[in-house]
Amino acid sequence: MTATTNRSPRELRIGCAIFFFISGFGYSSWASRIPTVQHQLHLNEAQLGTLLFALPIGLMLTLPITGKLLGHYTSRSIMLFGAIAFNVVLFLLGLATVAWQFAIILFALGSARNLLNLSVNAQSVGVQSVYQKSIITTFHGIWSIAGFVGAAVGYLMVSYNVNLFYHLGAISILLCACSVYFYSYTFYQKPKAVERKPFLILPDKYMLKFAVICFACMACENTMYDWSAIYFEKAVHAGKATATAAFVVYMIAMTTGRFAGDKIVLRIGIKNMLNYSGWFIFTGLMLAVVFPYPLVAGAGFILVGLGVACVVPLVFSIAGKSASLSSGTAIASISTVGYFGFLLVPPFVGYIAQAADLRWSFGVIAILGMLIVWMVSKIEAT
């Protein structure tokens, strides 16, 4: 690995952390205002679900493009371009007045988000290479903190009835400025052309259980991003501020779980941790479904946040030890399936809600928690 930089390892770590923060803060700022978008565009649940499909479509279609770009240009250059593009598109969200405009902008947001996310993860690998100890997982914890902060700011914006345009516009300007300023703190590495690989790397029979766990967890996680605030409005019948607060509570729980997870795993082991996580997800969602009252549903959201916090990194750590596959191939295979859960399941929540209601939708998603428990039972003790 050839790197050229005048920055110290600490400065490189700070630079990478800032871009993880930019990614998490920008995304949660958008997620915290999804109910506002639904109200402004007069969308029912099915229409909103269809609209939300635009983001994952944009993301998936740009996956091979981003891979090629990272083979020709430095990850820091792609990361800067992705960060600025993402935040410019975030600004445009506040200008959309009809559904088709929002769909086009969401497609662009997904494309820009893909550029930013893949490049910032490539940066984290580069920064890790200059450290003897493991630091890479802390970057994802920082993403969660950023998500919480973005959700909290969104709560304040909703509470004070701040127009979506001014909220997202201010966030866009701030994050673009941070991107440009901290670009010099990023890791420079000459691009290395990678071997041509299939667009989708699917898991083999042994890896399938890990892929299913990853799919179920990521589907639950993004369902909470997209629908938690709306659930509080429509099913719990809470006000806008309380609905946004529910999303904030979920983000706090998930962030806390990610920073506490390593210590807990040392005491109870990975398999037990995954098992409890599945039960937390199931129990939390069912509490919100059976008892749709602010305090009980809020407690349920806390359990869901704790449940989804550590599942994916722990599954990656097990799968990466596969004797039949390289760690990179093993993780890539289950990531592909997990990514589909993250991107494609939440929009279907809207269709189920339109056919029945949101409580039914969340009840169906709760089953994924039990699917995690079942798949974990098939893993050898670790």
Side-chain angles (χ1 to χ4, degrees), residues 203-209:
D204 58 21
K205 184 177 180 181
Y206 171 75
M207 301 301 297
L208 187 59
K209 55 181 173 289

Side-chain angles (χ1 to χ4, degrees), residues 1-296:
M1 180 174 293
T2 303
T4 304
T5 181
N6 294 322
R7 294 293 183 177
S8 67
R10 181 175 180 273
E11 289 174 322
L12 293 174
R13 188 175 180 180
I14 290 172
C16 189
I18 291 295
F19 277 89
F20 267 92
F21 190 93
I22 289 170
S23 174
F25 189 81
Y27 186 75
S28 66
S29 294
W30 142 247
S32 70
R33 298 306 298 265
I34 290 176
T36 303
V37 172
Q38 185 179 25
H39 287 302
Q40 287 185 180
L41 301 182
H42 308 291
L43 302 170
N44 60 35
E45 278 69 33
Q47 291 169 331
L48 179 61
T50 300
L51 188 65
L52 292 175
F53 258 123
L55 193 150
I57 290 173
L59 195 151
M60 294 297 291
L61 289 180
T62 53
L63 275 172
I65 297 173
T66 305
K68 290 184 178 179
L69 288 174
L70 288 170
H72 290 86
Y73 303 97
T74 63
S75 60
R76 71 199 297 250
S77 299
I78 303 301
M79 184 173 67
L80 177 63
F81 178 80
I84 292 176
F86 179 81
N87 288 296
V88 168
V89 176
L90 189 68
F91 173 77
L92 294 177
L93 283 172
L95 297 174
T97 56
V98 293
W100 68 265
Q101 292 175 346
F102 232 96
I104 292 173
I105 297 172
L106 277 182
F107 178 89
L109 189 73
S111 300
R113 176 173 165 76
N114 182 57
L115 286 170
L116 175 58
N117 279 5
L118 291 186
S119 57
V120 78
N121 276 286
Q123 273 283 298
S124 69
V125 173
V127 175
Q128 173 65 77
S129 70
V130 302
Y131 277 83
Q132 295 298 317
K133 62 179 181 179
S134 176
I135 62 163
I136 200 167
T137 58
T138 61
F139 292 129
H140 296 273
I142 289 168
W143 193 98
S144 295
I145 290 177
F148 158 66
V149 175
V153 171
Y155 170 77
L156 292 175
M157 297 297 103
V158 172
S159 299
Y160 288 96
N161 295 312
V162 176
N163 185 277
L164 182 66
F165 169 76
Y166 295 114
H167 173 201
L168 296 185
I171 296 300
S172 174
I173 293 170
L174 174 64
L175 296 185
C176 281
C178 288
S179 300
V180 172
Y181 180 81
F182 283 98
Y183 173 70
S184 65
Y185 284 71
T186 55
F187 184 85
Y188 175 82
Q189 179 185 355
K190 289 183 178 180
K192 181 180 179 181
V194 296
E195 178 185 352
R196 180 180 291 272
K197 294 180 179 179
F199 174 55
L200 296 178
I201 304 174
L202 299 177
D204 58 21
K205 184 177 180 181
Y206 171 75
M207 301 301 297
L208 187 59
K209 55 181 173 289
F210 301 115
V212 172
I213 293 171
C214 195
F215 175 93
C217 179
M218 294 180 77
C220 292
E221 181 179 341
N222 208 28
T223 294
M224 294 298 290
Y225 284 142
D226 288 354
W227 292 98
S228 59
I230 294 174
Y231 186 86
F232 254 64
E233 281 194 31
K234 298 294 182 69
V236 181
H237 305 295
K240 293 181 181 178
T242 302
T244 305
F247 177 60
V248 173
V249 165
Y250 163 75
M251 289 300 300
I252 291 173
M254 185 174 67
T255 302
T256 301
R258 284 181 171 166
F259 278 100
D262 286 335
K263 293 182 179 179
I264 297 174
V265 167
L266 286 175
R267 293 188 176 184
I268 67 174
I270 292 178
K271 184 174 180 178
N272 285 332
M273 184 70 163
L274 290 172
N275 185 57
Y276 294 146
S277 295
W279 278 108
F280 275 20
I281 292 170
F282 173 77
T283 304
L285 287 171
M286 289 307 299
L287 276 176
V289 170
V290 178
F291 303 103
Y293 310 108
L295 288 178
V296 181

